Amino acid sequence: MPAFSVLDLSPVPDGFEAADALRNSGELAQLAERLGYRRFWMAEHHNMPGIASAATAVALTYIAGRTETIRVGSGGVMLPNHAPLVIAEQFGTLATLYPDRVDLGLGRAPGTDMMTARALRRNLEAADGFPQDVLELMLYFEPSSEGQKLRAIPGEGTRIPVFILGSSLYGAQLAAHLGLPYAFASHFAPAALDQAVAIYRETYRPSERHPEPYFILAANVFAADTDHEGAYLKSSMEQAFVNLRTGNPGKLPRPVEGYLASLEGPARTMLDEALAVSAVGSPESVERQLTALVERYRPEEVILTGQIHDHQARLKSFEIAAGAMKRIGAARRAA
């Protein structure tokens, strides 16, 4: 049975503010915990009016404080934006407050535009040192050795699980080389998914903590009572994606009837390709689509995300998805 988890960008719906988005994230995390989701991850994005999780470690502290057992983590922290020691201290503090509940997913992209990347004081060549930064960061989480001059306090000895995130073959190769779990951003950039999964599994080098590869598939879910309503909910994400790709990011738009049909051909093609790894519609449709994804990619875990404008509809979507994943797991056990 694949585990199932939540990836939350803390979306800021049109008509609401970041404070509303973060409170909504807290409620979603509590629901996810009750429904049996394994993890609740948040993503680092900057200068985006529709995303409230920019200060990811701070937001996760709020989430951890409102839950009891679900794992919390980043999906992910964009490491080239930061000094590894700073991230070690931030997540080490989180793990000290909430032991054995914290994950750290690491990405190589800036998570924003180049102007904002410069405002973050990011060295635009820093991505070239990503493998070395990952190793440095992991070392800070180990117990300190005698005479060690540079330490992460809090952080040392927490041995926080590290995951590599990616949407290209680079992340797959690095995760396989380091013997780390790998999460692919198939919820918005699935073009290299098949090749990346194959490379990761075929070239995986076992490590002490991870003797076997561990692949996480990311998928969108827009679940509702009917197929029509699910497609309607999805239109918010479709609008947001078009706005982002055309240089006009904003808050998460309200859903629109027939939005996809109103677009010109190239825009529809772009959305079809970018959001191909999605489960949309009624409980039966969502279960069928998630089953197909699980059977095709055989992930150890599925992490679900859903940019839905109405908070109650979003909660219901994740509730329907949890039921679908449990039934998929039961069917696989019985097979």
Side-chain angles (χ1 to χ4, degrees):
M1 174 180 176
F4 54 98
S5 298
V6 174
L7 172 61
D8 180 37
L9 276 64
S10 199
V12 185
D14 183 35
F16 296 87
E17 302 301 329
D20 302 303
L22 290 166
R23 282 192 292 268
N24 290 347
S25 290
E27 290 185 20
L28 177 58
Q30 291 173 328
L31 175 67
E33 184 171 76
R34 293 195 298 271
L35 293 173
Y37 283 87
R38 176 173 291 183
R39 313 176 200 277
F40 191 93
W41 281 6
M42 303 185 83
E44 175 189 349
H45 292 280
H46 300 279
N47 195 29
M48 293 190 181
I51 297 176
S53 54
T56 313
V58 179
L60 288 170
T61 302
Y62 171 70
I63 297 300
R66 292 180 64 84
T67 53
E68 296 181 1
T69 58
I70 194 169
R71 298 192 66 83
V72 300
S74 59
V77 160
M78 302 298 106
L79 190 54
N81 291 342
H82 313 277
L85 178 60
V86 172
I87 297 303
E89 291 170 341
Q90 289 177 357
F91 279 78
T93 300
L94 190 59
T96 300
L97 291 169
Y98 303 98
D100 301 319
R101 288 185 58 198
V102 176
D103 302 322
L104 179 54
L106 299 172
R108 179 171 171 260
T112 186
D113 57 88
M114 287 300 102
M115 177 187 70
T116 308
R118 293 187 182 92
L120 289 166
R121 303 297 189 267
R122 181 179 186 265
N123 177 350
L124 299 185
E125 284 72 50
D128 295 339
F130 180 65
Q132 292 74 27
D133 286 348
V134 171
L135 291 172
E136 178 185 343
L137 178 52
M138 292 172 63
L139 186 60
Y140 289 131
F141 293 141
E142 295 297 320
S144 61
S145 57
E146 185 177 352
Q148 183 174 330
K149 299 295 185 183
L150 188 58
R151 299 158 60 190
I153 304 172
E156 63 181 18
T158 55
R159 303 202 76 194
I160 295 172
V162 170
F163 299 70
I164 299 296
L165 279 57
S167 59
S168 69
L169 305 185
Y170 180 93
Q173 293 166 337
L174 179 62
H177 180 75
L178 297 179
L180 292 175
Y182 177 54
F184 191 88
S186 37
H187 60 299
F188 74 91
L193 172 59
D194 291 80
Q195 192 175 0
V197 175
I199 287 175
Y200 174 65
R201 293 198 184 279
E202 291 168 6
T203 66
Y204 188 79
R205 298 171 56 179
S207 60
E208 178 185 351
R209 297 182 69 178
H210 305 285
E212 301 290 337
Y214 192 94
F215 171 63
I216 302 177
L217 175 74
N220 299 290
V221 64
F222 304 93
D225 290 332
T226 66
D227 289 350
H228 178 83
E229 186 181 356
Y232 176 67
L233 296 177
K234 186 185 178 187
S235 68
S236 292
M237 177 63 179
E238 292 168 340
Q239 293 175 76
F241 211 86
V242 169
N243 292 342
L244 179 63
R245 286 290 178 92
T246 55
N248 188 34
K251 293 184 177 181
L252 184 65
R254 300 175 190 276
V256 173
E257 288 280 3
Y259 174 73
L260 194 60
S262 71
L263 294 175
E264 298 292 332
R268 286 202 305 272
T269 300
M270 180 270 291
L271 285 176
D272 287 342
E273 293 174 352
L275 305 182
V277 182
S278 298
V280 186
S282 67
E284 296 77 16
S285 295
V286 164
E287 183 175 343
R288 183 176 64 253
Q289 294 165 64
L290 289 175
T291 298
L293 290 170
V294 168
E295 290 180 349
R296 178 171 179 175
Y297 295 106
R298 299 290 175 178
E300 279 68 42
E301 188 169 335
V302 177
I303 191 162
L304 300 169
T305 188
Q307 301 285 80
I308 294 174
H309 183 275
D310 180 81
H311 178 52
Q312 294 305 316
R314 188 168 179 244
L315 295 178
K316 183 175 180 177
S317 178
F318 278 98
E319 185 172 3
I320 292 171
M325 290 302 302
K326 289 175 183 177
R327 288 190 295 274
I328 291 169
R332 293 188 71 188
R333 285 195 300 271

